[in-house]
Amino acid sequence: MLVTKHAAELCALLVNDLFGELPSRVLVALFTKGRSSVAQLGHNTSLNVRHLRNGLGVLIQQNLVFHHTDPDSRATSYEANSDACYNLVRSGKILEVIHSQYGAAERELVQYLLFLGCARVADLAHAFGSRAPTTNGHTNGILKTGSGLIESEQHLHSVLARLIQDDIVETVRPDSLRNPAEVYREIEAEVTKTAPGEKASKNKIDQHVEVVERFKTFRDQGRILKRQLDQSNGPTTKRRKLQNGSAHGHDSIEYDLSRLNPNIVVRINHEKCLVHLRNQRLADFATDTFGEATGQVYHALLELLTAQLPRCRPDPLIGDQTGGQQITVTSIEVFEHLDEDVNVQNGIGKAPREKIDFQSAEKVKASPLDYDSDSDDSSETPTVGRASSRTAPIEDDDDSDDSDDVFGTATSAPRATSRVNGGRPTKVKFEDEATAKDSRLDQMRQHLLLLAEHKHRFVRLCGTNGRGQWTVDFGQLMESLREAELDAYIEQSFGRHGLRLTRVLRERGKLDEKMLPSTALMKKSDVQGKMLAMQMAGLVDLQEVPKDNSRLANRTLFFWFFDGERTQAQLLDDVYKAMLRCLQTLQVQRHKERDILSFVERKDVKGKEEEVMTAEHYNKYNLHLDEQEKLLSQVMRLDDMVGVFRDY
């Protein structure tokens, strides 16, 4: 598996920090030499067979390597799984999102599986079954939950079944530890294989369809148990609202009576966890743009849209898994899924009814818009007209002559005018209190319309059923988010002038250096200096086009251009390097304070550090904790950039 030097070093450092030097040494050899056997690993690492098998056992247990045994030669080969190695840095984020979406019991089980890598259901039942449940005096399956953690074996089976139904946990089979690309190549070779003397089939399309179907069958074998649980227990989408948010404080929870096969081996499905992390990232993006209330509404919509979405990006081997089918949710479904504690009255501007264009706000866009098209241009994309021009029905309001009565819509902020000339009052009024006639559903729809009107196109109104059908064009939205992250990086590194020049090149493509100053409205000397600095950093490049064979400078055209894909790849490698340096610095700090840290780890010192330690050592310990928190926070911020540019 091809990874950059800094990415391989980062993965090896994470494994070394969590599992020790021996597995890290074996992993470094696999990254350096590629797929290897035990004999080859022994030659590359200078380790004996016993140490190699111990190191490989840890890596296999944690799903950090692919391995396959050839049925003919009975030789086993091993290959590093770089994605699983990097996901070790996201364990904390995964636990946080699981706790916020599901609860403390699910978080505890996920933490246990992250620690073990993979485990049998029987081993999990043995670990959690020793906890005595606290019943309410009746044998009706109702347990009093104090801390919210797993309290019995029955509770464990209920939590595990819920996570399996939501694809957070997947079952492990022998083929799960194989490289999917290798399996795809084997299926393709088997389908296209011809007998001796037989002509190759010309129907390539049918062969490709057969390869894709067989590979889907192989990949979906880990979801057989999920489908069985869906048939017996029903989908968990409607029940999830009762188990998260304010439901954490409920005194009793009724557990499912279904028990899983104790011999099943389970592990965490990081691809589905990435879907939840992407939802959280997009909700934070909407919160930063609009406000907290809009971000919470958007997060509820994303949860419904991605409930059956197994991964963020299409499978690189077989492409889109949905077959081009558009997933939509209605306003009523979002309203039912939204937490009741969310105050949807906040964050919506109010404007007079005559200043609002309801028809444009409610315009249905059946297909995604192009990047360079305007959201209000009906000639670019087909649209579907609304039966009613109003956002929400208002009873007994048609004959009202009160001009102070305002109706809040999502389009009030961009469409109404706001001017202050001397003592003249503004035409736009922003109020935090909604009128009594506005229902909670109508107010929630204003947030959705506000998201649809933004230039980033967070959502798209694509139908009229259920008070409006909504979808998210994740490809376009993530491209907008990547551009925003890249612009922030360029502006921080090269200033506003550097950002202006790269935006000009991104919009125009290749541009002659003589036209660049006038296009960017900058001095020629400033443009030359800034472009040279960005060329040295690898952001932009220059192409020479000679007019004749003399290749003289005055007979040559110089075109500047900006390669976005190459810039993102280089930026990713720089992020890997920065994360590696942060973790290496943390290791050095821990080595310097190893005496204090070893003293704090003692059982008689934990929780009583200030009482037991001297003032000097206690201050050093607190200083080390502050530095550690800063370094780890920086690593988490850098991981957000990796998710945006690579995974989401």
Side-chain angles (χ1 to χ4, degrees), residues 514 545-558:
K514 297 179 181 179
V545 180
K547 295 181 179 179
D548 50 32
N549 294 332
S550 63
R551 304 185 68 87
L552 297 176
N554 58 356
R555 300 291 300 169
T556 303
L557 298 176
F558 297 94

Side-chain angles (χ1 to χ4, degrees), residues 74 147 155 199 215 261 270 318 363 366 405 515 589:
R74 306 301 300 173
S147 61
H155 190 190
K199 293 183 179 180
F215 183 75
N261 186 348
H270 284 88
I318 60 177
K363 184 169 59 176
D405 185 15
M515 299 177 58
Q589 296 295 332

Side-chain angles (χ1 to χ4, degrees), residues 343-396:
N343 187 3
V344 293
Q345 297 180 6
N346 294 336
I348 297 297
K350 308 300 186 298
R353 187 179 295 103
E354 62 272 8
K355 297 293 185 180
I356 302 171
D357 187 354
F358 292 101
Q359 186 173 3
S360 297
E362 296 283 350
K363 184 169 59 176
V364 175
K365 304 174 180 64
S367 61
L369 298 173
D370 296 331
Y371 286 113
D372 54 350
S373 65
D374 187 76
S375 60
D376 294 329
D377 189 3
S378 60
S379 62
E380 295 285 343
T381 55
T383 59
V384 181
R386 292 276 298 175
S388 175
S389 61
R390 290 192 175 184
T391 306
I394 304 178
E395 294 82 1
D396 302 330

